[in-house]
Amino acid sequence: MAYLDTYSGNWTAAEANHLLRRASFGCSQDTLTEALELGLTGTISKLFEAQPMPEPPLKYELDGTERDEVYDPEVNYGETWVNAAPYPILPTQQATNKAIRARNRSLYAWTFIQMQESGISIREKLTLFWHNHFVSVNTNPHREFYYINTLRENALGNFKELTKKITIDPNMLVYLSGNQNTNSAPNENYARELLELFTLGKGAAVGNGDYTNYTEDDIVAIAKILTGWRVKSLLDPDTLTPFFSNFNHSKGSKTLSHRFNNAVIEENGADEYKDLIDVIFQQEECSKFIIRQIYKWFVNSEITDDIEVNVITPLAKILRDNDYEIAPALKVILASDHFFESTFCMIKNPIDLMLSVTKSLLFDGPSTTIKEQYDYALVLYSACFDLNQDIFHHPDVAGWKAYYQAPLFYKSWVNSFLLPKRLDYCRIIVTGGDLVIDDITYTIPPLIPVLTIVSKIENATDPNVLIRSLSNLLFNYEVSEEQITSLKEFLIPGLPDFEWTVEYSEYLADSTNITLVVAVDKKLRNLLSIMVQMSEFQIM
């Protein structure tokens, strides 16, 4: 059986769960039911369906003039700030800074809302993948929004064309000094990362300044090719539109090394960077490099010689044959025998972990006011930030260590400091309590509708059936009889099974009785809070 043969085994809840958790964020009972009905082929098709772009982030904090309040009069509550001036001119610098930080918070919360509400779609998972691949850090929310929207618009599209767009993205030009790259002072920052992190990888050193995939002379030449691109001041209304300054561009042809077959990039003004990227993407290693990154993100961190030959190489050929359209190769790996054999080998990153709790346990966020919805999403963002996955602010240009740093890879998400926090955050989402993050206390109500969840389980009066059904929702495998016995101690400590049968039956017969409601809710919440802290919930 070939690694990339289409999976032909049984399509059960375990397989559907595995696919949905890896290719999207979490898996609810509703999405699981839909995937089971669609089958593997139908679920893959739905994951890759084109989606309309989401409405832009909104101003969700009310204006005020007190010390701790925000004053951003250019934007009304409930309207987007994206079309306002990127740098608001307010009476004081402090007020301006507060308004910008409020827009930052809105963007970060909005990004979590998109992931929370993504359903059976791979787009948001891919957007996060590209965000970790084309790392670009800034503090201006307008530039950040423009950048992340470019990734979202092109997430399922063409890797080569996305590379061209990102190369002159204002956020990236500022982050990697592209806007300072001139003919009189070429800056090599972006040229180096374009090759080493974004397209080819460095490869082993084979000589002085000569690596498997490029040379130091290529960095020098490429820096000159990329000269002339500029970003206007934040005070300029066109700051989000990059522009080309021919005056600052290095003239004449540039010759690349033997690693690129001594390709010559002719003088071509504003389009010269496109010619360069076309040459880079002619290298076969470019397709293998990005497939390895995709493999680490969706399948496994370990790439053996066997995987290189039987998975990476054929997928890279599919990518090249489709002129770097990303979807065809992704569909093959996600539908393959190898993918469905690659289970329980990935520790959930913090975002996957938090959304596994909320989506598996039917909490979509408050639906009352914009402020409550955004405040809730900001708590999820803050928790992930505290667990070392801070969107928009990677630790460095290489991205999160879990996807590149051997030998730990995914294990970098857990250590003696982070693991207790991971477990506690999962528990608090179920039970409620205080989250203390960066000296700020967030009081979280019990968010999970435990009674609603259990109402969907047939024969939930049997504690064994109840626990097994909940474990099928939360974990990717059947729990053992010993685990069921242990978990019953958190539902009905020291009591025989019939005690739960009687209590839950009485609740079903009189579900308006507050005493019964509170007692059953407490027991279920206690059980679920333990289950989301189990090691089985931390992996996927």
Side-chain angles (χ1 to χ4, degrees), residues 50 67 86 156 172 174 207-208 214 234 250 275 288 292 312 371 406 409 424 456 494:
R67 180 175 180 178
L156 282 77
M172 184 65 80
V174 171
N208 186 24
Y214 62 86
L234 282 170
S250 293
D275 299 336
K288 293 181 178 180
R292 292 187 197 105
I312 304 301
K371 186 175 190 313
F409 289 111
D424 204 39
K456 298 176 182 289

Side-chain angles (χ1 to χ4, degrees), residues 166-184:
I166 286 296
T167 296
I168 60 168
D169 174 80
N171 213 62
M172 184 65 80
L173 285 169
V174 171
Y175 176 53
L176 289 181
S177 310
N179 66 322
Q180 300 173 22
N181 186 16
T182 65
N183 52 6
S184 59

Side-chain angles (χ1 to χ4, degrees), residues 190-219:
Y190 185 78
R192 185 172 302 281
E193 308 308 354
L194 175 64
L195 295 183
E196 182 175 344
L197 296 178
F198 298 164
T199 59
L200 289 172
K202 197 173 194 176
V206 294
N208 186 24
D210 185 11
Y211 313 106
T212 308
N213 299 323
Y214 62 86
T215 71
E216 287 296 321
D217 289 341
D218 289 319
I219 301 293

Side-chain angles (χ1 to χ4, degrees), residues 71-91:
Y71 178 64
D72 190 2
E74 287 189 38
V75 189
N76 294 323
Y77 172 83
E79 295 180 357
T80 185
W81 45 265
V82 168
N83 301 319
Y87 193 85
I89 304 299
L90 298 175

Side-chain angles (χ1 to χ4, degrees), residues 361 430 450 453 470 474 524-532:
L361 298 178
V430 176
V450 293
I453 293 167
L470 289 173
L474 296 172
L524 291 171
R525 210 168 286 283
N526 191 41
L527 171 65
L528 281 167
S529 71
I530 296 300
M531 294 181 77
V532 297

Side-chain angles (χ1 to χ4, degrees), residues 46-56 110 114 117-118 120-121 123-124 127 149 152-154 156:
K46 189 167 181 65
L47 280 166
F48 284 85
E49 278 182 2
Q51 302 282 336
M53 289 294 286
E55 294 297 315
W110 174 83
Q114 305 318 307
E117 298 180 349
S118 57
I120 301 181
S121 172
R123 186 181 68 184
E124 293 303 317
T127 300
N149 239 27
R152 182 173 284 108
E153 284 178 328
N154 296 275
L156 282 77

